[in-house]
Amino acid sequence: MRFASWVRSGVALGLMATWLAGCGSVAGRVLAPLLAGRAGVRTLSTGAEPFPNDFLWGVATSGFQTEGGDQTSNWAAWARAGKVSQPIGPAIDHWRRYEEDLDLAVGLGLKAYRLSLEWARLEPEPGRFDPEAVKHYHDVIAAVRARGMTPIVTLVHFTYPAWLDTPDPKGRTGWEADRMAPEFARFAGWAAAEYGASVRWWLTINEPNTYAMVGYLAGLMPPGKVNPFAYSTVMANISRAHKLGYEAVHAADADAMVSINPIVIHSRTTDPNYPAGQGEAETPVRSGFYVDVPSFLDQFSSPRSQGAGGDRPGEKRFLDYVAFNYFYAVKANEVPLIGNYAKWPIYPEGLYEVAKKLHTRYRLPLMVTENGMPTPSDNPRPDGWTREAYIVNHLLHLRRAMAEGVPVLGYMHWTLVDNYEWGSYEPKFGLYGVDRRDPELRRFPTASAAVYQAIVKGNRLPAHLLERYGGKRR
Protein backbone atom coordinates (compact mmCIF):
# COMPACT_ATOMS: atom_id res chain seq x y z
CA MET A 1 0.00 0.00 0.00
CA ARG A 2 1.34 3.38 -0.94
CA PHE A 3 2.30 5.91 1.70
CA ALA A 4 0.28 8.72 0.15
CA SER A 5 -2.84 6.58 0.17
CA TRP A 6 -2.60 6.05 3.90
CA VAL A 7 -2.04 9.71 4.52
CA ARG A 8 -5.05 10.86 2.54
CA SER A 9 -7.29 8.20 4.04
CA GLY A 10 -5.85 9.01 7.43
CA VAL A 11 -7.46 6.11 9.23
CA ALA A 12 -6.85 2.68 7.76
CA LEU A 13 -4.31 1.39 10.25
CA GLY A 14 -6.14 2.91 13.16
CA LEU A 15 -9.45 1.38 12.19
CA MET A 16 -7.80 -2.02 11.98
CA ALA A 17 -5.92 -1.51 15.23
CA THR A 18 -9.01 0.07 16.87
CA TRP A 19 -9.55 3.77 17.21
CA LEU A 20 -7.75 4.44 20.49
CA ALA A 21 -8.12 7.49 22.64
CA GLY A 22 -11.01 8.91 20.58
CA CYS A 23 -10.70 12.33 19.07
CA GLY A 24 -11.80 13.74 22.38
CA SER A 25 -8.50 12.37 23.76
CA VAL A 26 -10.11 10.09 26.34
CA ALA A 27 -7.62 7.26 26.66
CA GLY A 28 -8.98 3.85 25.93
CA ARG A 29 -11.87 4.91 23.69
CA VAL A 30 -12.40 2.57 20.79
CA LEU A 31 -14.51 2.85 17.67
CA ALA A 32 -17.25 5.35 18.38
CA PRO A 33 -20.80 4.11 18.47
CA LEU A 34 -22.57 4.61 15.21
CA LEU A 35 -25.04 7.44 15.27
CA ALA A 36 -28.43 5.94 14.67
CA GLY A 37 -30.70 6.94 11.84
CA ARG A 38 -31.83 5.84 8.42
CA ALA A 39 -31.02 7.82 5.33
CA GLY A 40 -33.87 6.44 3.24
CA VAL A 41 -33.95 6.01 -0.51
CA ARG A 42 -32.15 8.77 -2.39
CA THR A 43 -34.16 11.76 -3.48
CA LEU A 44 -32.61 13.23 -6.61
CA SER A 45 -35.31 15.71 -7.58
CA THR A 46 -33.57 18.63 -5.84
CA GLY A 47 -30.46 18.38 -8.00
CA ALA A 48 -31.48 20.95 -10.60
CA GLU A 49 -32.34 23.67 -8.08
CA PRO A 50 -29.90 26.58 -7.93
CA PHE A 51 -27.45 27.02 -5.09
CA PRO A 52 -27.61 30.24 -3.03
CA ASN A 53 -26.20 33.28 -4.80
CA ASP A 54 -23.51 33.69 -2.13
CA PHE A 55 -22.47 30.03 -2.14
CA LEU A 56 -18.67 29.73 -1.97
CA TRP A 57 -17.63 27.55 -4.88
CA GLY A 58 -13.94 26.85 -4.51
CA VAL A 59 -10.94 24.59 -4.48
CA ALA A 60 -8.69 23.54 -1.60
CA THR A 61 -4.90 23.60 -1.82
CA SER A 62 -1.95 23.44 0.57
CA GLY A 63 1.36 25.25 0.44
CA PHE A 64 3.76 22.38 1.05
CA GLN A 65 2.11 20.20 -1.57
CA THR A 66 2.24 22.84 -4.31
CA GLU A 67 4.93 25.45 -3.64
CA GLY A 68 8.20 23.54 -3.72
CA GLY A 69 11.46 24.77 -2.24
CA ASP A 70 10.64 24.34 1.45
CA GLN A 71 13.70 23.53 3.54
CA THR A 72 12.61 24.46 7.05
CA SER A 73 9.54 22.35 7.91
CA ASN A 74 9.17 19.06 9.74
CA TRP A 75 8.16 17.51 6.42
CA ALA A 76 11.28 18.79 4.68
CA ALA A 77 13.36 17.12 7.39
CA TRP A 78 11.33 13.92 6.99
CA ALA A 79 11.99 13.91 3.25
CA ARG A 80 15.72 14.59 3.69
CA ALA A 81 15.84 11.53 5.94
CA GLY A 82 14.68 9.45 2.96
CA LYS A 83 11.30 8.54 4.43
CA VAL A 84 9.25 9.28 1.30
CA SER A 85 8.84 7.21 -1.84
CA GLN A 86 9.39 10.24 -4.07
CA PRO A 87 11.17 13.50 -3.21
CA ILE A 88 9.05 16.60 -3.53
CA GLY A 89 11.49 18.65 -5.60
CA PRO A 90 9.79 21.76 -7.02
CA ALA A 91 6.28 20.35 -6.41
CA ILE A 92 4.25 22.22 -9.04
CA ASP A 93 6.29 25.40 -8.57
CA HIS A 94 3.27 27.22 -7.19
CA TRP A 95 5.50 29.57 -5.17
CA ARG A 96 6.51 31.27 -8.42
CA ARG A 97 3.46 30.42 -10.52
CA TYR A 98 0.63 31.16 -8.13
CA GLU A 99 -0.87 33.79 -10.42
CA GLU A 100 -1.04 31.27 -13.26
CA ASP A 101 -2.85 28.83 -10.99
CA LEU A 102 -5.19 31.49 -9.66
CA ASP A 103 -6.06 32.35 -13.26
CA LEU A 104 -7.07 28.71 -13.74
CA ALA A 105 -9.27 28.94 -10.64
CA VAL A 106 -10.98 32.14 -11.69
CA GLY A 107 -11.44 30.70 -15.19
CA LEU A 108 -13.59 28.03 -13.58
CA GLY A 109 -15.76 30.78 -12.14
CA LEU A 110 -14.72 30.05 -8.55
CA LYS A 111 -15.69 32.35 -5.72
CA ALA A 112 -13.29 30.97 -3.10
CA TYR A 113 -9.74 29.72 -2.90
CA ARG A 114 -8.46 27.76 0.09
CA LEU A 115 -4.72 28.05 0.75
CA SER A 116 -2.35 27.55 3.65
CA LEU A 117 0.15 29.88 5.25
CA GLU A 118 3.31 27.83 5.61
CA TRP A 119 4.42 28.53 9.16
CA ALA A 120 7.92 27.12 8.49
CA ARG A 121 8.50 29.55 5.64
CA LEU A 122 7.16 32.49 7.61
CA GLU A 123 9.04 31.72 10.84
CA PRO A 124 12.07 29.60 9.89
CA GLU A 125 13.69 30.33 13.27
CA PRO A 126 11.97 30.97 16.60
CA GLY A 127 10.78 34.56 16.69
CA ARG A 128 12.29 35.50 13.32
CA PHE A 129 9.79 36.11 10.54
CA ASP A 130 11.11 36.10 6.99
CA PRO A 131 10.06 39.39 5.35
CA GLU A 132 10.14 37.83 1.88
CA ALA A 133 7.75 35.07 2.92
CA VAL A 134 5.51 37.53 4.77
CA LYS A 135 5.29 39.67 1.63
CA HIS A 136 4.76 36.61 -0.57
CA TYR A 137 1.58 35.57 1.24
CA HIS A 138 0.33 39.16 1.19
CA ASP A 139 0.81 39.03 -2.57
CA VAL A 140 -0.97 35.69 -2.90
CA ILE A 141 -3.95 36.78 -0.81
CA ALA A 142 -4.14 40.05 -2.73
CA ALA A 143 -4.07 38.12 -6.00
CA VAL A 144 -6.92 35.90 -4.81
CA ARG A 145 -9.01 38.92 -3.89
CA ALA A 146 -8.13 40.80 -7.07
CA ARG A 147 -9.68 37.94 -9.03
CA GLY A 148 -12.92 38.24 -7.10
CA MET A 149 -12.34 35.15 -4.97
CA THR A 150 -12.62 34.85 -1.19
CA PRO A 151 -9.46 33.54 0.52
CA ILE A 152 -9.98 30.75 3.04
CA VAL A 153 -6.75 30.40 4.99
CA THR A 154 -5.45 27.31 6.79
CA LEU A 155 -2.85 27.96 9.49
CA VAL A 156 -1.43 24.41 9.72
CA HIS A 157 -1.85 21.91 6.90
CA PHE A 158 0.23 19.05 8.41
CA THR A 159 3.52 21.02 8.34
CA TYR A 160 5.17 23.18 10.98
CA PRO A 161 8.68 24.64 11.57
CA ALA A 162 11.33 22.00 12.12
CA TRP A 163 12.64 23.92 15.14
CA LEU A 164 9.53 22.78 17.01
CA ASP A 165 10.98 19.26 16.86
CA THR A 166 13.81 20.26 19.19
CA PRO A 167 13.11 18.26 22.37
CA ASP A 168 11.65 20.15 25.30
CA PRO A 169 12.81 19.48 28.90
CA LYS A 170 10.60 16.37 28.96
CA GLY A 171 12.12 15.10 25.71
CA ARG A 172 8.92 15.73 23.75
CA THR A 173 8.79 17.22 20.28
CA GLY A 174 6.21 18.65 17.92
CA TRP A 175 2.59 18.12 18.88
CA GLU A 176 3.56 15.96 21.87
CA ALA A 177 5.21 18.93 23.57
CA ASP A 178 3.28 21.16 25.97
CA ARG A 179 4.70 24.25 24.23
CA MET A 180 3.06 23.45 20.88
CA ALA A 181 -0.40 24.82 21.71
CA PRO A 182 0.80 28.24 22.94
CA GLU A 183 3.32 28.45 20.07
CA PHE A 184 0.53 27.77 17.60
CA ALA A 185 -1.70 30.36 19.28
CA ARG A 186 1.09 32.92 19.04
CA PHE A 187 1.44 32.19 15.32
CA ALA A 188 -2.33 32.28 14.80
CA GLY A 189 -2.58 35.66 16.50
CA TRP A 190 0.34 37.00 14.47
CA ALA A 191 -1.20 35.72 11.22
CA ALA A 192 -4.58 37.25 11.98
CA ALA A 193 -2.98 40.61 12.81
CA GLU A 194 -0.80 40.46 9.68
CA TYR A 195 -3.36 39.23 7.13
CA GLY A 196 -6.71 39.69 8.85
CA ALA A 197 -7.57 42.86 6.94
CA SER A 198 -7.80 40.69 3.82
CA VAL A 199 -8.97 37.38 5.33
CA ARG A 200 -12.22 36.59 7.11
CA TRP A 201 -12.36 32.79 6.87
CA TRP A 202 -9.79 30.78 8.86
CA LEU A 203 -9.11 27.11 9.51
CA THR A 204 -6.75 26.42 12.37
CA ILE A 205 -5.53 22.85 11.78
CA ASN A 206 -6.26 20.66 8.77
CA GLU A 207 -7.38 17.07 9.39
CA PRO A 208 -6.03 16.80 12.94
CA ASN A 209 -7.37 13.25 13.22
CA THR A 210 -5.47 12.22 10.08
CA TYR A 211 -2.23 13.77 11.25
CA ALA A 212 -2.36 12.31 14.74
CA MET A 213 -3.36 8.89 13.55
CA VAL A 214 -0.93 8.47 10.68
CA GLY A 215 1.95 10.17 12.47
CA TYR A 216 1.55 8.66 15.92
CA LEU A 217 -0.32 5.35 15.47
CA ALA A 218 0.61 4.21 11.97
CA GLY A 219 4.11 5.72 11.87
CA LEU A 220 3.78 6.76 8.23
CA MET A 221 3.97 10.52 8.66
CA PRO A 222 6.32 12.63 10.77
CA PRO A 223 7.39 11.82 13.43
CA GLY A 224 6.79 8.18 12.47
CA LYS A 225 5.64 6.82 15.81
CA VAL A 226 3.43 3.87 16.70
CA ASN A 227 2.38 4.90 20.17
CA PRO A 228 -1.25 5.20 21.33
CA PHE A 229 -0.21 7.22 24.39
CA ALA A 230 1.58 9.74 22.18
CA TYR A 231 -1.50 9.83 19.96
CA SER A 232 -3.73 10.68 22.90
CA THR A 233 -1.35 13.45 24.00
CA VAL A 234 -1.22 14.86 20.48
CA MET A 235 -4.99 14.99 20.13
CA ALA A 236 -5.27 16.75 23.48
CA ASN A 237 -2.63 19.29 22.46
CA ILE A 238 -4.28 19.88 19.09
CA SER A 239 -7.61 20.50 20.81
CA ARG A 240 -5.96 22.97 23.18
CA ALA A 241 -4.17 24.61 20.26
CA HIS A 242 -7.41 25.12 18.36
CA LYS A 243 -9.08 26.75 21.35
CA LEU A 244 -6.13 29.05 21.97
CA GLY A 245 -5.80 29.75 18.26
CA TYR A 246 -9.50 30.52 17.95
CA GLU A 247 -9.21 33.08 20.73
CA ALA A 248 -6.01 34.55 19.30
CA VAL A 249 -7.55 35.07 15.86
CA HIS A 250 -10.63 36.69 17.36
CA ALA A 251 -8.50 38.91 19.58
CA ALA A 252 -6.89 40.27 16.41
CA ASP A 253 -10.13 40.34 14.41
CA ALA A 254 -13.45 40.09 16.21
CA ASP A 255 -15.32 39.52 12.93
CA ALA A 256 -13.23 36.54 11.83
CA MET A 257 -14.90 33.21 11.07
CA VAL A 258 -12.81 30.40 12.55
CA SER A 259 -13.14 26.62 12.45
CA ILE A 260 -11.11 23.40 12.35
CA ASN A 261 -11.62 20.76 9.68
CA PRO A 262 -11.36 17.08 10.65
CA ILE A 263 -11.76 14.37 8.06
CA VAL A 264 -15.02 12.44 8.40
CA ILE A 265 -14.69 8.73 7.76
CA HIS A 266 -18.33 7.89 7.33
CA SER A 267 -19.58 4.39 8.04
CA ARG A 268 -22.43 2.71 6.25
CA THR A 269 -24.18 -0.60 6.75
CA THR A 270 -26.78 -1.94 4.37
CA ASP A 271 -30.11 -2.02 6.15
CA PRO A 272 -30.98 -5.70 6.71
CA ASN A 273 -34.67 -4.84 6.70
CA TYR A 274 -34.62 -3.50 3.15
CA PRO A 275 -36.27 -5.83 0.58
CA ALA A 276 -33.85 -8.10 -1.21
CA GLY A 277 -33.09 -7.72 -4.88
CA GLN A 278 -32.61 -3.95 -4.88
CA GLY A 279 -29.50 -2.39 -6.35
CA GLU A 280 -27.00 -1.02 -3.87
CA ALA A 281 -27.48 2.52 -5.19
CA GLU A 282 -31.10 2.42 -4.00
CA THR A 283 -30.46 0.63 -0.71
CA PRO A 284 -31.16 2.62 2.45
CA VAL A 285 -28.34 2.54 4.96
CA ARG A 286 -28.03 2.88 8.66
CA SER A 287 -25.09 5.20 8.90
CA GLY A 288 -22.77 6.94 11.33
CA PHE A 289 -19.11 7.82 11.88
CA TYR A 290 -16.24 5.39 12.28
CA VAL A 291 -13.95 8.21 13.33
CA ASP A 292 -15.40 9.82 16.43
CA VAL A 293 -15.69 13.29 14.92
CA PRO A 294 -18.59 14.34 17.19
CA SER A 295 -16.59 13.70 20.36
CA PHE A 296 -13.81 15.80 18.86
CA LEU A 297 -16.02 18.69 17.78
CA ASP A 298 -18.06 18.53 20.99
CA GLN A 299 -15.04 20.07 22.74
CA PHE A 300 -15.56 23.24 20.73
CA SER A 301 -19.35 23.52 20.45
CA SER A 302 -21.85 21.71 22.65
CA PRO A 303 -24.37 19.53 20.81
CA ARG A 304 -27.68 21.23 20.18
CA SER A 305 -29.64 18.26 18.91
CA GLN A 306 -32.32 18.80 21.56
CA GLY A 307 -32.32 22.59 21.51
CA ALA A 308 -33.15 25.43 19.22
CA GLY A 309 -29.52 26.40 18.71
CA GLY A 310 -27.60 29.45 19.82
CA ASP A 311 -25.18 29.83 22.68
CA ARG A 312 -26.34 28.84 26.12
CA PRO A 313 -25.70 31.17 29.06
CA GLY A 314 -22.09 30.92 30.17
CA GLU A 315 -21.13 28.59 27.32
CA LYS A 316 -17.82 29.17 25.54
CA ARG A 317 -17.85 28.27 21.88
CA PHE A 318 -14.75 27.69 19.72
CA LEU A 319 -16.39 27.20 16.31
CA ASP A 320 -18.00 29.83 14.11
CA TYR A 321 -18.95 27.22 11.53
CA VAL A 322 -18.46 23.46 11.14
CA ALA A 323 -15.84 22.56 8.55
CA PHE A 324 -15.11 19.02 7.43
CA ASN A 325 -13.38 16.97 4.75
CA TYR A 326 -15.31 14.10 3.18
CA PHE A 327 -14.05 11.63 0.57
CA TYR A 328 -15.78 8.25 1.00
CA ALA A 329 -17.72 5.98 3.33
CA VAL A 330 -17.10 2.39 4.27
CA LYS A 331 -18.93 -0.75 5.25
CA ALA A 332 -17.20 -2.99 7.76
CA ASN A 333 -15.81 -5.26 5.04
CA GLU A 334 -14.52 -2.27 3.06
CA VAL A 335 -12.15 -0.89 5.68
CA PRO A 336 -9.04 -2.39 4.00
CA LEU A 337 -9.95 -0.60 0.75
CA ILE A 338 -9.17 2.83 2.15
CA GLY A 339 -5.49 1.94 2.04
CA ASN A 340 -5.73 1.71 -1.76
CA TYR A 341 -6.63 5.05 -3.30
CA ALA A 342 -7.81 3.44 -6.54
CA LYS A 343 -10.42 1.46 -4.61
CA TRP A 344 -11.80 3.95 -2.11
CA PRO A 345 -15.43 2.98 -1.42
CA ILE A 346 -17.11 6.00 -2.97
CA TYR A 347 -20.51 6.84 -1.52
CA PRO A 348 -21.94 10.22 -2.61
CA GLU A 349 -25.03 9.81 -0.42
CA GLY A 350 -22.69 10.04 2.54
CA LEU A 351 -22.18 13.75 1.98
CA TYR A 352 -25.92 14.23 2.51
CA GLU A 353 -25.89 12.04 5.61
CA VAL A 354 -22.85 13.73 7.14
CA ALA A 355 -24.21 17.22 6.47
CA LYS A 356 -27.54 16.34 8.07
CA LYS A 357 -25.93 14.79 11.14
CA LEU A 358 -23.47 17.63 11.73
CA HIS A 359 -26.09 20.33 11.36
CA THR A 360 -28.57 18.48 13.58
CA ARG A 361 -25.89 18.14 16.23
CA TYR A 362 -24.39 21.64 16.22
CA ARG A 363 -26.92 23.96 14.55
CA LEU A 364 -24.09 25.85 12.88
CA PRO A 365 -23.50 26.53 9.18
CA LEU A 366 -21.31 23.98 7.42
CA MET A 367 -18.48 24.17 4.92
CA VAL A 368 -17.16 21.23 2.89
CA THR A 369 -13.46 22.06 3.00
CA GLU A 370 -12.27 19.06 0.93
CA ASN A 371 -13.98 16.56 -1.34
CA GLY A 372 -12.35 14.80 -4.25
CA MET A 373 -11.30 11.55 -5.86
CA PRO A 374 -7.82 10.25 -6.74
CA THR A 375 -6.93 8.32 -9.87
CA PRO A 376 -3.62 6.90 -11.13
CA SER A 377 -3.98 9.23 -14.14
CA ASP A 378 -6.74 11.13 -15.92
CA ASN A 379 -8.64 7.90 -16.45
CA PRO A 380 -11.60 6.17 -14.80
CA ARG A 381 -10.92 3.97 -11.84
CA PRO A 382 -11.06 0.23 -12.50
CA ASP A 383 -14.66 0.22 -11.26
CA GLY A 384 -15.63 3.00 -13.69
CA TRP A 385 -15.85 5.97 -11.35
CA THR A 386 -14.65 9.20 -12.97
CA ARG A 387 -13.94 12.51 -11.30
CA GLU A 388 -16.77 14.06 -13.30
CA ALA A 389 -19.31 11.57 -11.95
CA TYR A 390 -17.85 11.93 -8.46
CA ILE A 391 -18.33 15.70 -8.45
CA VAL A 392 -21.85 15.63 -9.87
CA ASN A 393 -23.12 12.95 -7.53
CA HIS A 394 -21.60 14.44 -4.38
CA LEU A 395 -22.97 17.87 -5.18
CA LEU A 396 -26.33 16.30 -5.95
CA HIS A 397 -26.52 14.96 -2.41
CA LEU A 398 -25.10 18.11 -0.86
CA ARG A 399 -27.85 20.08 -2.62
CA ARG A 400 -30.35 17.56 -1.28
CA ALA A 401 -29.24 18.34 2.29
CA MET A 402 -29.50 22.05 1.59
CA ALA A 403 -33.02 21.60 0.23
CA GLU A 404 -33.90 20.05 3.59
CA GLY A 405 -32.69 23.10 5.47
CA VAL A 406 -28.98 22.44 6.08
CA PRO A 407 -27.08 25.74 5.73
CA VAL A 408 -23.95 25.05 3.67
CA LEU A 409 -21.60 27.97 3.14
CA GLY A 410 -19.48 26.48 0.41
CA TYR A 411 -17.79 23.53 -1.25
CA MET A 412 -14.02 23.23 -1.78
CA HIS A 413 -12.97 20.62 -4.31
CA TRP A 414 -9.66 18.89 -3.61
CA THR A 415 -7.78 20.05 -5.61
CA LEU A 416 -7.03 22.53 -8.41
CA VAL A 417 -3.83 21.02 -9.86
CA ASP A 418 -2.27 17.58 -9.36
CA ASN A 419 0.22 17.96 -6.51
CA TYR A 420 2.46 16.17 -4.05
CA GLU A 421 0.39 13.74 -2.03
CA TRP A 422 2.58 13.44 1.06
CA GLY A 423 5.29 11.16 -0.25
CA SER A 424 4.26 10.52 -3.85
CA TYR A 425 3.07 12.22 -7.01
CA GLU A 426 1.14 9.15 -8.13
CA PRO A 427 -2.36 9.89 -6.80
CA LYS A 428 -3.96 12.49 -9.09
CA PHE A 429 -6.64 14.73 -7.58
CA GLY A 430 -6.47 17.76 -9.83
CA LEU A 431 -9.07 19.41 -12.02
CA TYR A 432 -5.92 20.29 -13.95
CA GLY A 433 -3.21 17.73 -14.55
CA VAL A 434 0.57 18.02 -14.63
CA ASP A 435 2.84 15.67 -16.54
CA ARG A 436 5.85 15.17 -14.26
CA ARG A 437 7.98 14.35 -17.31
CA ASP A 438 7.41 17.87 -18.62
CA PRO A 439 10.24 20.12 -17.35
CA GLU A 440 7.90 23.11 -17.71
CA LEU A 441 5.26 21.44 -15.51
CA ARG A 442 2.57 22.78 -17.80
CA ARG A 443 -0.99 22.48 -16.54
CA PHE A 444 -3.65 20.91 -18.72
CA PRO A 445 -7.39 20.66 -18.08
CA THR A 446 -8.93 17.31 -17.31
CA ALA A 447 -12.51 16.48 -18.27
CA SER A 448 -13.54 17.26 -14.70
CA ALA A 449 -12.53 20.92 -15.07
CA ALA A 450 -15.23 21.54 -17.66
CA VAL A 451 -17.83 19.74 -15.54
CA TYR A 452 -17.01 21.73 -12.41
CA GLN A 453 -16.92 24.94 -14.44
CA ALA A 454 -20.40 24.29 -15.83
CA ILE A 455 -21.77 23.72 -12.33
CA VAL A 456 -20.05 26.75 -10.81
CA LYS A 457 -20.87 29.20 -13.58
CA GLY A 458 -24.50 28.08 -13.71
CA ASN A 459 -24.69 27.91 -9.88
CA ARG A 460 -26.62 24.67 -10.26
CA LEU A 461 -26.25 21.12 -11.50
CA PRO A 462 -27.12 21.45 -15.20
CA ALA A 463 -29.73 19.08 -16.59
CA HIS A 464 -27.34 17.57 -19.12
CA LEU A 465 -24.86 16.68 -16.34
CA LEU A 466 -27.59 15.22 -14.17
CA GLU A 467 -28.79 13.14 -17.08
CA ARG A 468 -25.30 11.94 -17.90
CA TYR A 469 -23.86 11.42 -14.44
CA GLY A 470 -26.64 11.48 -11.84
CA GLY A 471 -26.63 8.16 -10.03
CA LYS A 472 -23.92 6.87 -12.36
CA ARG A 473 -20.20 6.26 -12.11
CA ARG A 474 -19.17 7.32 -15.60
Side-chain angles (χ1 to χ4, degrees):
M1 294 178 183
R2 298 195 178 274
F3 173 71
S5 306
W6 287 100
V7 172
R8 177 53 55 190
S9 71
V11 295
L13 275 181
L15 287 175
M16 294 180 185
T18 72
W19 180 253
L20 290 170
C23 295
S25 299
V26 179
R29 182 175 295 170
V30 294
L31 287 174
L34 298 182
L35 301 177
R38 289 182 57 169
V41 178
R42 296 184 300 178
T43 301
L44 306 182
S45 59
T46 60
E49 297 176 3
F51 285 75
N53 289 333
D54 59 353
F55 191 76
L56 292 173
W57 293 107
V59 287
T61 67
S62 93
F64 181 83
Q65 293 177 265
T66 60
E67 291 173 346
D70 166 51
Q71 299 295 322
T72 56
S73 72
N74 61 323
W75 255 95
W78 179 261
R80 283 194 297 272
K83 297 182 179 181
V84 295
S85 59
Q86 289 180 274
I88 186 170
I92 60 170
D93 198 22
H94 181 72
W95 183 268
R96 294 190 309 115
R97 297 166 64 169
Y98 66 88
E99 292 203 75
E100 175 186 347
D101 292 334
L102 291 176
D103 286 341
L104 295 178
V106 79
L108 296 173
L110 300 184
K111 295 182 178 181
Y113 188 84
R114 182 182 163 210
L115 66 143
S116 63
L117 300 178
E118 289 302 291
W119 185 2
R121 285 188 181 270
L122 288 162
E123 192 180 7
E125 298 172 6
R128 182 181 74 82
F129 286 85
D130 182 342
E132 179 184 351
V134 173
K135 180 181 182 301
H136 173 82
Y137 287 112
H138 272 296
D139 292 343
V140 173
I141 291 168
V144 171
R145 289 172 59 87
R147 287 162 174 78
M149 295 186 292
T150 297
I152 299 170
V153 174
T154 310
L155 291 167
V156 166
H157 198 121
F158 292 163
T159 63
Y160 57 79
W163 53 263
L164 284 164
D165 278 334
T166 302
D168 68 4
K170 296 180 180 179
R172 293 181 170 183
T173 64
W175 282 107
E176 284 185 88
D178 294 340
R179 70 183 180 194
M180 191 64 162
E183 288 281 14
F184 170 77
R186 177 185 57 82
F187 172 65
W190 173 88
E194 184 71 32
Y195 301 106
S198 300
V199 177
R200 187 183 184 214
W201 299 92
W202 298 89
L203 295 164
T204 54
I205 302 163
N206 176 75
E207 286 190 17
N209 44 355
T210 293
Y211 181 78
M213 188 137 192
V214 182
Y216 292 87
L217 281 182
L220 296 172
M221 178 182 276
K225 292 191 174 184
V226 183
N227 185 331
F229 300 104
Y231 164 82
S232 182
T233 298
V234 166
M235 287 305 300
N237 283 338
I238 286 176
S239 297
R240 181 171 169 239
H242 170 73
K243 291 178 180 179
L244 293 176
Y246 176 93
E247 293 181 326
V249 172
H250 276 285
D253 181 4
D255 295 327
M257 296 291 286
V258 185
S259 191
I260 186 170
N261 57 311
I263 188 171
V264 174
I265 307 301
H266 191 51
S267 68
R268 60 191 181 105
T269 306
T270 302
D271 191 327
N273 297 318
Y274 195 74
Q278 301 293 328
E280 183 181 15
E282 298 299 328
T283 303
V285 295
R286 186 173 292 116
S287 59
F289 299 122
Y290 269 126
V291 176
D292 197 2
V293 170
S295 75
F296 177 70
L297 293 179
D298 283 356
Q299 302 170 91
F300 313 129
S301 181
S302 297
R304 290 164 170 77
S305 300
Q306 306 303 318
D311 293 334
R312 300 185 179 102
E315 180 184 39
K316 181 66 175 177
R317 178 163 52 85
F318 299 94
L319 291 177
D320 298 319
Y321 61 103
V322 174
F324 66 98
N325 298 356
Y326 174 84
F327 292 92
Y328 49 76
V330 293
K331 300 176 183 176
N333 64 344
E334 293 173 331
V335 169
L337 297 181
I338 61 180
N340 183 336
Y341 70 86
K343 293 184 179 181
W344 281 0
I346 293 172
Y347 181 59
E349 292 91 332
L351 191 51
Y352 163 85
E353 294 163 4
V354 168
K356 290 281 285 187
K357 288 176 185 294
L358 291 176
H359 180 244
T360 297
R361 191 172 184 87
Y362 300 109
R363 299 297 181 184
L364 288 171
L366 311 182
M367 184 182 293
V368 181
T369 41
E370 288 183 26
N371 175 246
M373 187 192 87
T375 59
S377 60
D378 186 29
N379 293 309
R381 300 192 334 163
D383 63 5
W385 270 106
T386 62
R387 189 167 293 111
E388 304 85 78
Y390 182 99
I391 291 171
V392 169
N393 282 280
H394 280 79
L395 287 173
L396 183 62
H397 288 284
L398 184 66
R399 186 65 189 85
R400 175 186 169 202
M402 295 171 71
E404 295 180 14
V406 177
V408 182
L409 299 163
Y411 169 89
M412 305 297 123
H413 183 268
W414 181 270
T415 183
L416 179 65
V417 181
D418 290 342
N419 59 25
Y420 188 67
E421 280 296 325
W422 307 108
S424 171
Y425 283 105
E426 183 173 331
K428 309 294 186 183
F429 280 89
L431 298 167
Y432 286 83
V434 174
D435 186 343
R436 304 301 307 176
R437 298 167 296 182
D438 176 6
E440 300 299 320
L441 296 175
R442 283 171 287 228
R443 285 76 160 132
F444 59 87
T446 70
S448 58
V451 167
Y452 195 39
Q453 180 188 56
I455 296 168
V456 170
K457 290 194 171 182
N459 201 36
R460 68 174 70 225
L461 287 160
H464 72 282
L465 293 181
L466 287 172
E467 182 178 356
R468 179 171 181 182
Y469 296 113
K472 301 175 183 178
R473 294 179 176 180
R474 294 176 176 84

